[in-house]
Amino acid sequence: MNDTDVVSSFSDMTYNSTALLSSQNNTVESDMGLVKGISPVPELLQFQNQYQNIHGYLAPIICVFGVVANILNIVVLTRKNMQTSTNVILTGLAISDGLTMAAYIPYALLMYVIHGTKNTPIRDTYQVAQFQMGYALFSVVVHSIAIWLTVTLALFRYIFIRFPRLGAQYCNIHKAKIAVVANVIVVTLVCVPYSVNFTIGSDNFSDPNELLPNGTIYFIKMKNDNDFEKFLFNVNFWIQAILIKLLPSFLLTIFSILLVNTMRSAEKRRKKLLNNVPMSDENGATSTSSTTTSSRKQKKSRSNRTTKMLLAVVILFLLTETPQGVLSVMGGLDESFFIHIYLPLGDLLDIITLINNGINFVLYCTMSKQFRDTFLKLFLKNVLHQDYRRTKTNYTTAQGTQATKDSDV
């Protein structure tokens, strides 16, 4: 892998955005035919060239909506009536996703829109290379935190519904806060050392068409001056590949299967229990029994809805991250695969990840009544109050002079 490819391998451990830097570089383009193994795919190159022109405009729009959506998630999930261990983890996930999308906005504008997508001395200054280095490291850390928070979320939910007593003891709000902080610390410690493998390099630039002035372009490159630096790079690569890509995907797959099986078993037990409940009882015990059964049924129904919502979050995350993990690891093993397959798909993988980072708000609103009601009370309070007063006035008018104590309800 030549130096201009390295910036991609740096951030594609969890985020593919800097993959564009390599694919745009003229050196990489000229070397494509020299890489042995997988041959270039014309259809992928054509797709890359066409989509690249709109990605720089589409991505910031999605990011703006995603940042706003995650801010709304944080505001709603931190209300007093929403304080649960699950919502503590979801709040951490919203913060990570929001920061990831917020960081992508200046990156997309700088590398796609302001100076175009081709390497030039105007675009690829030393300051821009420093920004790329900082952005790559930051995006790796915050997105990796989001990945492991999703794993933590699946683990907490599985314990809670499969082992309720253990869930009450080990999956409470306090433990959830500890889990979030531990995720942040551990993931940061794992990701930061990977940055020591990289430095900023430079190259002379000359425009064959003589439309641009000659100068120097700067880029991120791998430190490979000696065997130790190469060995350190390989060690960090596999640590990242296993801990940030492969292991989370494996765990999310296992927990998704376990959650589905547990929900099915719980549903079978619920139906069996309901079938054994007597329909009538002359001594009046039926009323109490029916009330208790109804209360349990409603509680179980809310729990199932919550589990389904969280399962949707986990599965969407899994579907987004697993293909990227497989592609990035294969790209690390085979340079020709990295250049001819992974790089042309980099922008597409980016936009899929960004959409997934901002879609949770929609899932919460559509699948959680409590979240939806809290959101409406917070942001549409005046509208709801006016509707209530209008409904109350109409009701009072219809009742005329037959007002009772119930007319204020």
Side-chain angles (χ1 to χ4, degrees):
M1 186 180 296
N2 52 52
D3 292 342
T4 51
D5 294 332
V6 174
V7 65
S8 175
S9 66
F10 181 18
S11 72
D12 69 11
M13 289 279 88
T14 59
Y15 222 60
N16 307 293
S17 48
T18 21
L20 173 65
L21 301 180
S22 298
S23 64
Q24 292 166 349
N25 193 280
N26 296 331
T27 304
V28 175
E29 290 174 350
S30 63
D31 287 346
M32 278 187 175
L34 301 178
V35 178
K36 303 300 181 181
I38 297 177
S39 302
V41 182
E43 291 79 10
L44 285 180
L45 294 177
Q46 183 179 4
F47 168 79
Q48 179 190 24
N49 292 331
Q50 292 177 349
Y51 176 69
Q52 196 175 86
N53 296 325
I54 64 173
H55 179 78
Y57 300 92
L58 178 62
I61 294 174
I62 293 176
C63 286
V64 169
F65 283 102
V67 169
V68 173
N70 280 294
I71 291 175
L72 294 177
N73 287 341
I74 296 169
V75 172
V76 175
L77 293 172
T78 52
R79 298 304 94 188
K80 289 184 179 180
N81 67 306
M82 299 289 290
Q83 289 295 301
T84 65
S85 58
T86 296
N87 290 346
V88 168
I89 301 174
L90 289 178
T91 301
L93 182 60
I95 294 173
S96 299
D97 287 343
L99 290 175
T100 302
M101 302 185 82
Y104 198 92
I105 295 174
Y107 171 82
L109 294 176
L110 189 61
M111 305 310 299
Y112 290 77
V113 179
I114 297 177
H115 296 299
T117 59
K118 297 297 181 181
N119 294 91
T120 65
I122 299 175
R123 173 181 179 270
D124 299 293
T125 64
Y126 184 79
Q127 291 75 19
V128 170
Q130 288 181 312
F131 167 78
Q132 293 168 9
M133 180 77 81
Y135 161 77
L137 178 59
F138 180 79
S139 65
V140 164
V141 172
V142 294
H143 192 61
S144 300
I145 290 172
I147 291 174
W148 277 102
L149 284 178
T150 306
V151 175
T152 304
L153 179 67
L155 173 62
F156 266 57
R157 195 60 192 175
Y158 173 69
I159 294 176
F160 186 80
I161 65 174
R162 182 66 180 84
F163 310 102
R165 293 183 179 178
L166 289 178
Q169 182 178 359
Y170 294 105
C171 299
N172 52 45
I173 294 178
H174 179 67
K175 294 295 193 302
K177 291 179 180 179
I178 293 176
V180 171
V181 174
N183 267 294
V184 173
I185 295 174
V186 173
V187 170
T188 302
L189 292 176
V190 170
C191 292
V192 169
Y194 195 58
S195 63
V196 303
N197 294 282
F198 300 89
T199 186
I200 295 177
S202 62
D203 197 3
N204 294 325
F205 174 86
S206 60
D207 184 7
N209 298 322
E210 298 183 352
L211 298 176
L212 297 172
N214 296 337
T216 303
I217 60 174
Y218 296 87
F219 49 86
I220 303 174
K221 70 173 185 176
M222 181 182 72
K223 296 178 181 178
N224 60 353
D225 295 334
N226 52 61
D227 292 338
F228 175 75
E229 289 180 345
K230 295 178 181 179
F231 170 77
L232 185 63
F233 173 82
N234 290 329
V235 170
N236 280 325
F237 173 85
W238 282 110
I239 290 176
Q240 295 284 317
I242 294 173
L243 295 183
I244 304 302
K245 286 294 184 183
L246 300 181
L247 182 58
S249 296
F250 173 76
L251 292 177
L252 286 176
T253 301
I254 297 300
F255 285 132
S256 297
I257 295 173
L258 291 175
L259 281 170
V260 171
N261 290 337
T262 302
M263 288 181 62
R264 288 180 177 177
S265 299
E267 183 66 17
K268 291 180 180 179
R269 290 195 301 268
R270 187 185 69 84
K271 290 181 178 180
K272 184 177 180 181
L273 179 62
L274 290 177
N275 290 334
N276 294 331
V277 174
M279 297 300 295
S280 61
D281 194 334
E282 295 181 356
N283 60 13
T286 302
S287 177
T288 303
S289 176
S290 298
T291 302
T292 303
T293 302
S294 177
S295 176
R296 291 178 178 176
K297 183 179 178 180
Q298 291 177 1
K299 184 177 180 180
K300 190 66 178 179
S301 178
R302 287 194 300 268
S303 178
N304 286 341
R305 287 198 301 269
T306 300
T307 303
K308 290 178 181 179
M309 181 192 72
L310 299 180
L311 189 59
V313 173
V314 170
I315 291 177
L316 283 177
F317 211 93
L318 180 63
L319 293 176
T320 302
E321 294 300 323
T322 300
Q324 294 185 29
V326 173
L327 290 174
S328 64
V329 171
M330 292 180 65
L333 295 173
D334 186 345
E335 183 182 359
S336 64
F337 183 92
F338 177 82
I339 293 176
H340 301 317
I341 304 297
Y342 186 85
L343 286 182
L345 294 174
D347 291 336
L348 177 63
L349 297 175
D350 265 1
I351 208 69
I352 293 174
T353 301
L354 293 172
I355 292 173
N356 182 65
N357 287 346
I359 203 173
N360 285 348
F361 176 77
V362 178
L363 293 178
Y364 301 159
C365 285
T366 55
M367 302 185 70
S368 173
K369 185 178 185 300
Q370 186 181 17
F371 182 94
R372 186 168 58 250
D373 291 344
T374 303
F375 172 78
L376 292 175
K377 289 179 181 179
L378 282 173
F379 298 100
L380 300 176
K381 185 176 181 180
N382 292 332
V383 176
L384 294 175
H385 183 64
Q386 291 176 1
D387 290 343
Y388 169 77
R389 292 184 62 183
R390 188 180 302 111
T391 302
K392 179 181 176 182
T393 301
N394 293 338
Y395 177 81
T396 303
T397 302
Q399 294 297 317
T401 58
Q402 300 178 2
T404 66
K405 295 181 180 179
D406 295 332
S407 63
D408 291 334
V409 176

